[in-house]
Amino acid sequence: MDLAYTEEEQDFRARLREWLLKALPELPARPSPDDWPGRRAYDLGWQRRLYEAGYAGLHWPADAGGRGATPTQHLIFLEETERAGAPYVGANFVGLLHAGPTIAAEGTAGQRARWLPPVLRGDEVWCQGFSEPDAGSDLASLRTRAVRDGDDYVITGSKIWTSHAEVADWCELLVRTDPEAPKHRGISWLAMAMDAPGVTVRPLRTLAGSTEFAEVFLDEVRVPVGNRVGAENDGWRVTMVTLSFERGTAFVGEVVACRRTLGELARTARANGRWDDPALRRRLGRLYGEFGALWRLTQWNVSESERSGGVPGIGGSVFKLAYSHARQELYDVAAEVLGASSLSLDEEWVQSRLSSLSYTIAAGTSQIQRNIVAERILGLPKGR
C-alpha cells in the first residue's frame, strides 16, 4: 500500500473540492429527522447531483455503472465530502453500500441492468431484511419461509431492524428455501419489491427517538424466482459478500467524521478550561492515535479488496470491532468535555452519543466479530 498521493490523485482531490464548493450552497435545507418522505427526497436529490457530476458509485466497477475509481480516489472522495459537510448517503445506505455492491458482484447481467442504475441515479431506495426476532447474531437461524410455486416464491415470516423500510422500494431479503437442509445451506438471497401485496411495515422507535428501523411482516408475498441473486440455497455465501461490504467499507466516511469531531472536542476543551486535566488529554491523545490507525486500516482493507476483485475481506471484522468501541469512547469523552451542557447543546451531540451505543450490536455484534477474527484470521478452534 502506497500512502503517497500521485499527481493524478491530487488533481482529483482539487476538482472534487471545487465541485463541492459550488454544489453544497445549492442544497435545500435539511428536513426534520422525523420527516422520512422529506429525508428520502433530500438524500435522493443529493445522489442525483453526484450522479450528474460523475461521482455516483465512484468505487463501483465500470461494468456495473460506476466510475471504477481506485481505492485511493474513493478514500479521497470520502475524506473531502465529509470534511466539506456534504450529506451522507442517508436513505441510500443499503442500496449504495450493501445491496448494490452485492448485485454487482453476484448478480446476472439482467439483474445488474435492472437494479444498479436506479440506485446510482437516486431513483430507488433499498432496505435490508436480514434479522428476525429469533435470528439476530445467529442470522443463519432465520425462519422466514419461501416456498417455490411455479415462477414465484411465496414468502411468509417477519423481519426486524429493517433499515429504511418506511421509504424503501426494494428489500435485500434472506429466506429459507430448504427447511430440511443444515441451517447455513438452505437460505436464498432475494430482491423483494416493498409494494408487493402482503408486505406490512411497522416502524420501530430507537433510544435516540428515530425510526430508521422497522418490523416487516410478510404474508404470502410473491417474489419472482428471477429476483434471486445467486443459486437457490446458496444465499449464505451471497450474504457473506453483503456482510463483507457492510463491515469492510460502509463505515469509512464515519471514521473521517469522528476524526473531525475529535478535533472539535480538543478545541472546546482548550476553550472551556478542561484541557488542564492531564487524564482528559491522555484520553484525547489515545483516541487521536486510534482513529489515525483506523484510517490506515481502512486504506489497507480497501486496497486489499481491490486486489481480491472488489469484495472486502475478513479484515473488515477487525475494523468494525475496533471502530465500534472507539466511537463509543469518543462520545463518552465528548460528554466529559462538554459536561452537563452536553444535554442542552445542539441535539446532534446527544443523538450521536446515543447512536454510538448501537455500534457494538449493529452489522454484527462485537462478540461475533471476535469469533470471526479468532477463527478465520488467527486460526483458533471454534468455541464450544
Side-chain angles (χ1 to χ4, degrees), residues 328-378:
Q328 286 185 353
E329 184 173 0
L330 172 65
Y331 283 100
D332 282 346
V333 173
E336 184 176 343
V337 170
L338 299 170
S341 62
S342 64
L343 299 178
S344 59
L345 288 173
D346 189 313
E347 183 183 348
E348 185 177 348
W349 283 105
V350 179
Q351 294 287 332
S352 295
R353 190 181 187 202
L354 293 175
S355 174
S356 73
L357 301 177
S358 70
Y359 277 70
T360 48
I361 301 174
T365 67
S366 290
Q367 290 89 340
I368 292 295
Q369 306 304 335
R370 289 189 181 97
N371 285 342
I372 293 172
V373 171
E375 295 168 13
R376 299 177 64 189
I377 297 179
L378 301 179

Side-chain angles (χ1 to χ4, degrees), residues 103-247:
I103 293 169
E106 297 289 335
T108 65
Q111 289 171 339
R112 292 166 69 152
R114 165 60 188 88
W115 286 309
L116 299 186
V119 170
L120 292 176
R121 288 194 304 264
D123 292 340
E124 293 179 344
V125 171
W126 283 68
C127 63
Q128 185 181 79
F130 282 14
S131 296
E132 298 180 5
D134 295 318
S137 295
D138 185 13
L139 182 58
S141 295
L142 65 91
R143 293 187 293 181
T144 293
R145 182 84 178 271
V147 178
R148 183 78 176 260
D149 181 23
D151 292 333
D152 291 336
Y153 289 110
V154 181
I155 302 170
T156 301
S158 67
K159 296 292 179 176
I160 198 167
W161 312 121
T162 307
S163 307
H164 305 314
E166 290 180 80
V167 292
D169 303 290
W170 291 91
C171 177
E172 52 173 2
L173 185 72
L174 294 186
V175 296
R176 186 159 300 284
T177 41
D178 185 355
E180 303 303 321
K183 66 180 184 178
H184 290 89
R185 298 179 184 174
I187 293 170
S188 297
W189 197 108
L190 305 179
M192 180 186 72
M194 289 298 288
D195 61 357
V199 177
T200 301
V201 176
R202 182 183 299 164
L204 293 168
R205 191 164 296 278
T206 69
L207 175 67
S210 61
T211 57
E212 66 263 31
F213 302 114
E215 293 178 283
V216 177
F217 299 93
L218 308 169
D219 184 10
E220 297 190 349
V221 179
R222 301 188 78 89
V223 173
V225 173
N227 286 17
R228 187 189 67 230
V229 175
E232 185 170 281
N233 299 325
D234 192 34
W236 187 254
R237 184 190 62 81
V238 178
T239 301
M240 292 302 100
V241 173
T242 305
L243 295 180
S244 71
F245 286 111
E246 182 177 49
R247 296 164 183 171

Side-chain angles (χ1 to χ4, degrees), residues 278-306:
L280 176 62
R281 291 200 306 273
R282 281 195 296 271
R283 290 187 73 185
L284 290 170
R286 188 175 72 255
L287 283 169
Y288 180 84
E290 184 136 3
F291 280 109
L294 281 167
W295 183 247
R296 294 308 187 202
L297 178 58
T298 293
Q299 292 176 307
W300 187 89
N301 281 340
V302 173
S303 297
E304 185 71 13
S305 75
E306 184 71 11

